[in-house]
Every structure is written in structure tokens, then in C-alpha cells.
Amino acid sequence: MKAINSIKLEFPSKSSNESFARAAAAAFAAQLDPTMEELGDLRTAVSEAVTNAIVHAYPDSIGVICMKLRILEGGVFEVSVRDWGRGIDDLEKARPGRGRRS
Ligand SMILES: Nc1ncnc2c1ncn2[C@@H]1O[C@H](COP(=O)(O)OP(=O)(O)O)[C@@H](O)[C@H]1O
Ligand SMILES: [Mg+2]
């Protein structure tokens, strides 16, 4: 689908950049006039994905993380977080709701 507006951010996998990514996504999404609840959900999703890249993708080194934010027609907001790290051994374990329970 064609994006009405988009942004791409590339940053090193330092834990200090996690809050930056969260704030940047929320600031970009503000143009859609989201509710506080929607903004909270977005911040949580970005935080989880970026933290995964920092902690799991590059456990012993600093690597590149790329976050893409897109606004599509109909007010759809799309976020992708990409890394070039160690990869996911067990995809089933990584699926939402299928991880370890605590
Ligand atoms: N970006 C990533 N690179 C490598 N492995 C990942 C990545 N994201 C998730 N994983 C794997 O999927 C598992 C589940 O991730 P998640 O549901 O976020 O739980 P948690 O981070 O608490 O372990 C992780 O423990 C890890 O093994
Ligand atoms: Mg995680």
C-alpha cells in the first residue's frame, strides 16, 4: 500500500536509543491525532521490538537497527523494526502470546 508519509531511522543498538525510538514513533504518529491509549500501545510495541533487537539480536555487540514508520491511507500506522543480528532460532517461541508464561 502506498504511504502518505514515511520516515526511516537507523541507529546503533545501544539501550539509550530505546527511549529515543519510542519518542520518535510517538511524535511521528501525533499527526494522526491518536488517543492516549493508542499512543501508549504504540510506545509499548516499539519499546518491545527495539529492546528485542538490542538484547537478543546483538547480545555481545552493537549492531544496526532500522525503524520504519509509515502512514497509509485510511489512517493506518505501520511500524517495522529490523535488525541484522543472530536471527531467531525458534520462530514459534517468538510469536506473540506463545512465549514463556510467567
Ligand atoms: N530481534 C530478535 N533477534 C533474535 N531473537 C529474537 C529477536 N526478537 C525476539 N527473539 C527471540 O524470541 C524470544 C521471544 O521474544 P519476546 O516475546 O520479546 O520475549 P523476551 O524478549 O521476554 O524473551 C526471545 O527470547 C528471543 O529468543
Ligand atoms: Mg522481548
Side-chain angles (χ1 to χ4, degrees), residues 64-97:
V64 175
I65 297 175
C66 180
M67 180 171 76
K68 285 185 187 165
L69 307 168
R70 300 206 310 153
I71 292 172
L72 310 177
E73 275 161 25
V76 175
F77 192 74
E78 188 184 84
V79 186
S80 82
V81 174
R82 184 174 185 192
D83 64 65
W84 289 263
R86 60 192 292 274
I88 300 178
D89 302 329
D90 186 349
L91 268 184
E92 202 51 36
K93 195 173 123 198
R95 287 217 167 92

Side-chain angles (χ1 to χ4, degrees), residues 7 9 19-29 43 67 69 77:
I7 229 167
L9 286 171
S19 62
F20 166 76
R22 224 182 325 139
F28 187 67
R43 291 167 66 91
M67 180 171 76
L69 307 168
F77 192 74

